[in-house]
Each structure stands twice: as structure tokens, then as C-alpha cells.
Amino acid sequence: MCMAEIRSIGMDGEKIEVRLVIDKNEYGILKNQTTDLLLLPSANDALKYMLTTGRLGNSNRIMLPKKVLSAFDITEIEKKVAASIFSIKGDYFLLIKLKESDIGIPKFEKE
């Protein structure tokens, strides 16, 4: 299954109601929270900017502590990652795709 998918959108004056289909992993991320949720697109065309990752000491890079990466079992990250900034009610959010899934994509190696 892919990431969350919008099934229907209903508009009633100033309010917009969105019906989503999510998988168990996404539901687990919510941890029963029903307010202050953020709905952002994560497709490649929504993440328009490429950011450089790296270790501390270099300027103009996205720095990620090893403890955070290991908490999510991320052993290595790409040198260039897709990202975008979204503004919602005066707050700004940086969405970065740290690693792209390769599940279901066969890899052929030379013997």
C-alpha cells in the first residue's frame, strides 16, 4: 500500500472535510492524536528542492544526529535529498525525504 490517500473532500463554507485512507504504520504515528495534525504532500513533484546532507562542520547542510537516525534504523542517507518548506498559519515546516524505499524494486548485480 502507498502512503495516505484522500478518498473524498467535502466543503461546507469555510470548513473542508477530508476522508483519508491510511495504513497501520501511519495510524501508529498518530498515537490517538486528533488535533494539530499536518497533512502534506510527499510526492517528488511536491518536494521541489534538493538539500545536501553531511556531517557537522560543513556549512549549508542538513545535519542529523546519529542517535536520531539509528532510532529509525537508518544506517546511511543519500548525499542529496528532496525537500520543501510549507507555511501553515505562520508556522513553517521542513519536509525532507531522507531515504526512498526500494521495496518491490528488483536489483540485479553482476556475478
Side-chain angles (χ1 to χ4, degrees), residues 67-76 99:
K67 286 182 183 181
V68 173
L69 294 173
S70 63
F72 291 92
D73 293 325
I74 299 173
T75 54
E76 56 185 64
K99 190 169 185 168

Side-chain angles (χ1 to χ4, degrees), residues 14 17 24 28 30 39 63 74-76 80 90 99 106:
E14 291 293 315
E17 183 176 303
K24 288 183 180 181
L30 293 177
L39 181 64
M63 301 299 153
I74 299 173
T75 54
E76 56 185 64
K80 296 282 188 179
K99 190 169 185 168

Side-chain angles (χ1 to χ4, degrees), residues 13-98:
E14 291 293 315
K15 294 197 176 202
I16 300 172
E17 183 176 303
V18 178
R19 182 173 167 243
L20 297 173
V21 175
I22 61 175
D23 65 17
K24 288 183 180 181
N25 289 333
E26 290 168 318
Y27 183 73
I29 291 170
L30 293 177
K31 296 180 183 172
N32 296 322
Q33 292 188 27
T34 58
T35 61
D36 291 331
L37 302 176
L38 185 61
L39 181 64
L40 296 174
S42 63
N44 289 337
D45 61 340
L47 303 177
K48 301 174 187 174
Y49 304 98
M50 296 304 290
L51 300 178
T52 303
T53 62
R55 295 188 170 93
L56 291 173
N58 297 329
S59 61
N60 203 25
R61 294 185 185 263
I62 297 298
M63 301 299 153
L64 299 162
K66 287 182 182 178
K67 286 182 183 181
V68 173
L69 294 173
S70 63
F72 291 92
D73 293 325
I74 299 173
T75 54
E76 56 185 64
I77 54 177
E78 302 293 323
K79 227 18 169 175
K80 296 282 188 179
V81 293
S84 193
I85 296 176
F86 299 91
S87 173
I88 300 170
K89 294 185 179 179
D91 293 334
Y92 291 85
F93 298 89
L94 174 62
L95 179 63
I96 303 171
K97 186 183 289 189
L98 292 177

